Amino acid sequence: PWWYESEDAREAVPYLVKALAHSDSDFRFAIFEVLGEIDPQWTRGEGARNAVPHLMKSLSADDTDVRVAAANALEIIGPGASKAVFRLVKLMADSNSGVREAAGDALKRINPRWPESESAHNTIPYLVKSLTDKDGNVRIAAIRVLRKIDPQWPRSEGARSTVPYLVKALTDTQKPVRMVVREALKQIDPGGDLRDKF
């Protein structure tokens, strides 16, 4: 009857935390209940920290629900999941709005000042590359994240290299995409010198 106080139960914590990236919400709820019984402070323990690398891998899963679940689990772990900041920032440019929202919530909980972190700044080349993505939602998200991380990003060489792709995106069927792309082009190429070439 006191199974939750046993050493075996405590040793199961990292495996249970890893399973929080499961796509089934009922399954995840059951895991949260078990973790709470074993250790109400499990989010601050070594078991949670040891599971962070596994949850980080799950952020790259093809299944949208798995990516959301992994981000939610990292949010619950909080500051102990600081190693995940780089991947979560990249996820802020995901094609799925639910994933982007989950990543943003996780970042706020892990480190409210995440835009100033080295990990966030290390994602800039990836985000700049995302400006050429076929998906308009990805391009919009990437621009918004870049603005949060570094107001100087339009002056980078990587940003200038995206101009031809952004010019093509001016014909996107979605008006919000065209508006954000126009704004990005104004920041990257205020004089229109680069745009004249395309």
Side-chain angles (χ1 to χ4, degrees):
W2 306 105
W3 63 270
Y4 50 85
E5 293 182 356
S6 68
E7 185 63 32
D8 287 337
R10 284 191 292 276
E11 286 177 4
V13 169
Y15 302 98
L16 291 166
V17 178
K18 286 178 187 178
L20 288 174
H22 197 279
S23 59
D24 186 277
S25 59
D26 290 335
F27 186 71
R28 294 196 304 269
F29 183 76
I31 292 169
F32 279 124
E33 284 193 324
V34 174
L35 283 167
E37 284 189 74
I38 295 171
D39 180 9
Q41 302 295 317
W42 68 268
T43 57
R44 297 179 186 167
E46 190 178 345
R49 286 192 298 276
N50 290 342
V52 167
H54 175 81
L55 293 171
M56 286 166 58
K57 285 180 188 173
S58 297
L59 294 174
S60 304
D62 292 333
D63 188 326
T64 301
D65 291 336
V66 171
R67 296 200 301 279
V68 170
N72 288 340
L74 290 164
E75 178 188 0
I76 290 163
I77 293 170
S82 59
K83 289 180 183 176
V85 168
F86 177 81
R87 295 214 185 177
L88 286 165
V89 175
K90 284 176 68 175
L91 218 59
M92 291 279 282
D94 194 272
S95 58
N96 182 277
S97 60
V99 173
R100 295 195 300 269
E101 185 178 345
D105 290 343
L107 284 166
K108 286 177 200 166
R109 173 89 170 80
I110 293 167
N111 179 4
R113 298 178 69 175
W114 66 266
E116 300 167 22
S117 70
E118 184 180 350
S119 296
H121 282 262
N122 288 341
T123 65
I124 290 174
Y126 168 83
L127 292 167
V128 168
K129 189 177 177 186
S130 296
L131 298 178
T132 65
D133 197 276
K134 293 177 185 175
D135 189 326
N137 292 321
V138 171
R139 294 196 298 270
I140 288 174
I143 289 169
R144 287 180 177 154
V145 180
L146 282 164
R147 284 180 185 156
K148 284 183 183 178
I149 295 171
D150 183 9
Q152 304 302 317
W153 73 269
R155 297 196 179 112
S156 70
E157 192 57 41
R160 292 169 68 84
S161 70
T162 65
V163 169
Y165 303 97
L166 291 172
V167 169
K168 286 179 188 174
L170 288 171
T171 60
D172 197 286
T173 55
Q174 299 176 53
K175 188 177 179 182
V177 174
R178 295 195 304 272
M179 289 172 64
V180 172
V181 166
R182 267 196 201 93
E183 186 59 36
L185 281 168
K186 281 181 190 172
Q187 289 180 290
I188 297 169
D189 183 26
D193 302 326
L194 295 171
R195 274 169 280 177
D196 292 341
K197 299 177 183 177
F198 305 102

